[in-house]
Amino acid sequence: MKKPRVCILRTAGTNCDAETAFAFELSGAQAELVHVNVLAAGGRKLDDYHILALPGGFSYGDDIAAGKVLANELRCKLRDSVERFISAGKLVIGICNGFQILVKSGLLPGNAQWKQEASLVINDSSKFEARWVHLRIPESVCVWTEGIGRVIYLPVAHGEGKFMAADTASLRCILDKKQAAVTYCNEDGSAAVYPANPNGSQADIAGICDATGRIFGLMPHPERHVQSSQHPLGEGGRKSAESDGILIFKNGVRYARKLL
């Protein structure tokens, strides 16, 4: 069986690329780490891949603001190839810093092309938050979370993770179009307060997708929970046959197989 090809985009400061590649390979894809300069110079072509993944880390040291520099590179250096990639019905995922990049480039929520409609700003606690959180998967158009339908458990590690829409109308649009794909919650699925919502995000939003459901970004790290041994309670903490994070990657790979 042919495997979907995944471009794991990296640059100075990216530090979750190997884990993200492992998660995709565990899910049945073929992953390759590709530096942004190689794509920009034509050494690799985005057209040759089925999934574009922007992993976590601190791209360019979070200079200016987390994710802003690489967001500008997507918009200015790779715009044509990214637009062609998306128009071909392919998939994009951004995790933590990758989510910040997608939002600041305007690819998410994507209701106004290449225009920033939201941001991820400094946590309400004004400190770096690193802990495991419970996440509700509401009804949404997101292909990455399709069929999960239960509370999952993933780690977060960020200083700028508070999701803020540009205005009330933008937030309402995200909610009405069912683009809020992941929300912070308590273990029983009820509405979260700090520390269950680690950053103060509007509407408890932990991740959103675009209107097609194919472009997805989230602050929690699914690549850090793809095996039961990664659960903080080990095998004893597992509530399902599969680790929670792997469900997201398998959904993406399953969808991408349609493109082969």
Side-chain angles (χ1 to χ4, degrees):
M1 179 185 293
K2 285 187 176 182
K3 296 182 177 183
R5 297 190 65 199
V6 185
C7 173
I8 311 287
L9 191 66
R10 59 178 301 276
T11 191
T14 303
N15 64 14
C16 297
D17 44 343
E19 297 98 314
T20 304
F22 176 75
F24 272 113
E25 290 175 351
L26 198 63
S27 302
Q30 177 185 344
E32 181 181 358
L33 308 183
V34 182
H35 196 283
V36 63
N37 290 347
V38 174
L39 274 186
R44 290 287 189 279
K45 295 185 182 299
L46 195 55
D47 294 335
D48 294 334
Y49 301 91
H50 307 96
I51 299 173
L52 171 63
L54 285 71
F58 303 89
S59 59
Y60 298 109
D62 285 351
D63 286 348
I64 305 175
K68 187 65 175 179
V69 177
L70 189 49
N72 286 341
E73 289 191 299
L74 284 184
R75 189 165 45 224
C76 299
K77 293 182 179 180
L78 299 173
R79 182 167 181 157
D80 289 346
S81 58
V82 170
E83 287 182 351
R84 193 165 57 247
F85 186 87
I86 294 169
S87 294
K90 298 180 179 182
L91 300 179
V92 182
I93 186 171
I95 301 168
C96 197
N97 189 238
F99 185 22
Q100 295 163 337
I101 292 163
L102 291 177
V103 167
K104 291 175 182 180
S105 69
L107 288 172
L108 283 178
N111 297 314
Q113 193 174 34
W114 296 104
K115 178 183 177 183
Q116 188 173 345
E117 304 166 81
S119 194
L120 290 149
V121 301
I122 295 173
N123 302 338
D124 279 354
S125 64
S126 298
K127 64 181 181 180
F128 191 87
E129 297 284 348
R131 64 169 55 84
W132 286 68
V133 296
H134 291 95
L135 300 158
R136 193 170 68 88
I137 310 296
E139 181 185 353
S140 77
V141 297
C142 185
V143 304
W144 293 88
T145 59
E146 185 179 4
I148 295 178
R150 61 173 174 81
V151 172
I152 62 174
Y153 198 45
L154 297 176
V156 295
H158 57 252
E160 297 178 44
K162 179 178 181 177
F163 181 84
M164 295 286 291
D167 49 42
T168 302
S170 296
L171 178 61
R172 178 48 52 195
C173 182
I174 291 167
L175 298 175
D176 288 348
K177 289 187 175 182
K178 299 187 183 303
Q179 291 177 238
V182 186
T183 59
Y184 299 108
C185 66
N186 295 316
E187 187 174 2
D188 63 2
S190 59
V193 295
Y194 182 83
N197 177 335
N199 45 51
S201 288
Q202 289 179 324
D204 292 329
I205 288 173
I208 64 172
C209 64
D210 74 331
T212 72
R214 294 183 285 104
I215 304 175
F216 176 45
L218 72 167
M219 285 310 297
H221 285 269
E223 82 283 4
R224 296 183 183 178
H225 190 198
V226 294
Q227 296 178 310
S228 58
S229 59
Q230 294 173 311
H231 192 288
L233 298 179
E235 292 279 355
R238 189 172 64 181
K239 293 186 177 180
S240 65
E242 294 182 290
S243 298
D244 291 346
I246 201 69
L247 301 173
I248 291 171
F249 292 101
K250 284 188 173 182
N251 270 342
V253 171
R254 187 181 303 114
Y255 188 95
R257 284 202 178 102
K258 300 175 185 178
L259 304 170
L260 298 179

